[in-house]
Amino acid sequence: RRDIVGFYAWQNNLSLPQDFYKIVKELAQVGRIGKNTSVQDIRSSFLEEVLLVYEDCLKDSKQAKDYLRGRGFSELGIQLNRIGYAPNSSTLRIYGLSSSKLEENELLSGEHEYFSNRIIFPIYDLRGNLVHMTGRYLGEIPLNIDGGEKYPRYKDTKPHLNSNIKNYLIFENKIKSYSTHKPLIVTEGFPDSLSLDELGIQVVGVLGLEKIVSLFKNNTELEVRLQAVCSILSWGAVPHP
């Protein structure tokens, strides 16, 4: 997708990041929302704009790419899963995204954007719509005077309407395509889930215990019949794959 953005910019004699908003308006089809579109779908469309910015920023960050490669992610896996990077707290506005829209979606407070110096992982619903993002802080987290970490290691987008990130699973959008004759691995967090997905393993990642309990207690919610939970991984101090 970052290549698509670059090609569109070249073809139309536009520059990055100054004209980025013009580019994503076309690529994300902003402004083509029908009158019957839900509020959640409108939010999803705006989050697509935001994610395109973070995807574009990742290609210029050696530190972020080194971290991802160190965790075993391939370049293809990074692109297919649309992993991005938020370098600082003014990134989205530099790319021309509306401050009012950012505030409306709680991605801007005062002069500070919600994500800064974080690897960005997207969250999709069952329909494949982008509904949330989570950001992993890159590097060592500064400490407070009391010795506690100044920032959370992972930071999720805030609940919106009835949509909370804990209501979803990592790779929930892939569940309908999974075979009921193959095992499903349930793991914790993005790195493990993405690593197993790259190996071609059927996997979902836990974002909230309520969701995973409902999935296996009554999985008609996701319109798929799973035979059994094969594994639940809890690595603790053991190195991640």
Side-chain angles (χ1 to χ4, degrees):
R1 290 179 182 262
R2 293 193 296 274
D3 291 340
I4 292 173
V5 172
F7 177 78
Y8 187 89
W10 170 80
Q11 187 180 47
N12 294 276
N13 197 30
L14 299 171
S15 60
L16 296 171
Q18 288 79 8
D19 295 317
F20 194 85
Y21 187 64
K22 296 179 183 178
I23 298 170
V24 297
K25 280 189 71 176
E26 178 64 26
L27 295 181
Q29 296 185 329
V30 178
R32 300 181 185 177
I33 300 172
K35 63 181 180 180
N36 295 322
T37 303
S38 70
V39 173
Q40 183 58 50
D41 287 339
I42 294 173
R43 171 178 163 84
S44 178
S45 178
F46 183 68
L47 290 181
E48 286 284 350
E49 295 183 61
V50 172
L51 185 57
L52 278 169
V53 171
Y54 291 149
E55 286 182 283
D56 192 64
C57 289
L58 178 62
K59 69 181 182 182
D60 296 322
S61 174
K62 183 179 183 301
Q63 183 186 15
K65 289 189 291 187
D66 285 348
Y67 165 78
L68 291 169
R69 289 171 185 149
R71 295 303 300 265
F73 302 141
S74 67
E75 183 63 30
L76 179 60
I78 291 170
Q79 292 185 16
L80 289 177
N81 289 296
R82 304 193 61 192
I83 301 173
Y85 175 60
N88 56 60
S89 62
S90 58
T91 301
L92 300 174
R93 287 166 293 170
I94 291 174
Y95 274 77
L97 270 66
S98 163
S99 294
S100 61
K101 284 189 175 181
L102 291 171
E103 289 175 345
E104 180 182 338
N105 288 275
E106 298 190 82
L107 294 173
L108 176 66
S109 178
E111 293 299 315
H112 300 284
E113 292 174 8
Y114 190 68
F115 292 120
S116 178
N117 189 34
R118 290 181 181 272
I119 302 289
I120 303 298
F121 300 100
I123 303 291
Y124 299 93
D125 65 12
L126 193 60
R127 299 183 298 162
N129 291 332
L130 181 61
V131 289
H132 282 287
M133 300 178 195
T134 189
R136 185 197 189 281
Y137 193 84
L138 191 60
E140 294 298 321
I141 299 178
L143 299 180
N144 291 316
I145 297 176
D146 61 4
E149 292 185 338
K150 190 173 183 180
Y151 313 120
R153 176 66 64 184
Y154 283 91
K155 187 177 183 181
D156 305 323
T157 45
K158 297 179 180 179
H160 184 77
L161 300 177
N162 294 322
S163 175
N164 187 308
I165 197 168
K166 295 186 183 301
N167 298 138
Y168 300 95
L169 298 169
I170 302 166
F171 296 138
E172 178 171 323
N173 55 311
K174 295 186 178 185
I175 286 181
K176 285 186 178 181
S177 67
Y178 285 166
S179 170
T180 57
H181 303 294
K182 294 181 180 179
L184 176 71
I185 304 296
V186 181
T187 187
E188 181 183 10
F190 278 90
D192 297 329
S193 301
L194 293 171
S195 296
L196 294 175
D197 181 67
E198 285 209 16
L199 294 173
I201 296 172
Q202 295 189 156
V203 59
V204 292
V206 178
L207 292 167
L209 290 178
E210 300 88 349
K211 180 70 175 184
I212 202 65
V213 168
S214 67
L215 171 64
F216 293 106
K217 182 178 180 181
N218 181 17
N219 55 42
T220 55
E221 173 191 355
L222 298 178
E223 300 178 13
V224 63
R225 284 292 175 185
L226 303 173
Q227 299 302 318
V229 182
C230 179
S231 299
I232 296 180
L233 308 181
S234 180
W235 291 95
V238 179
H240 290 240

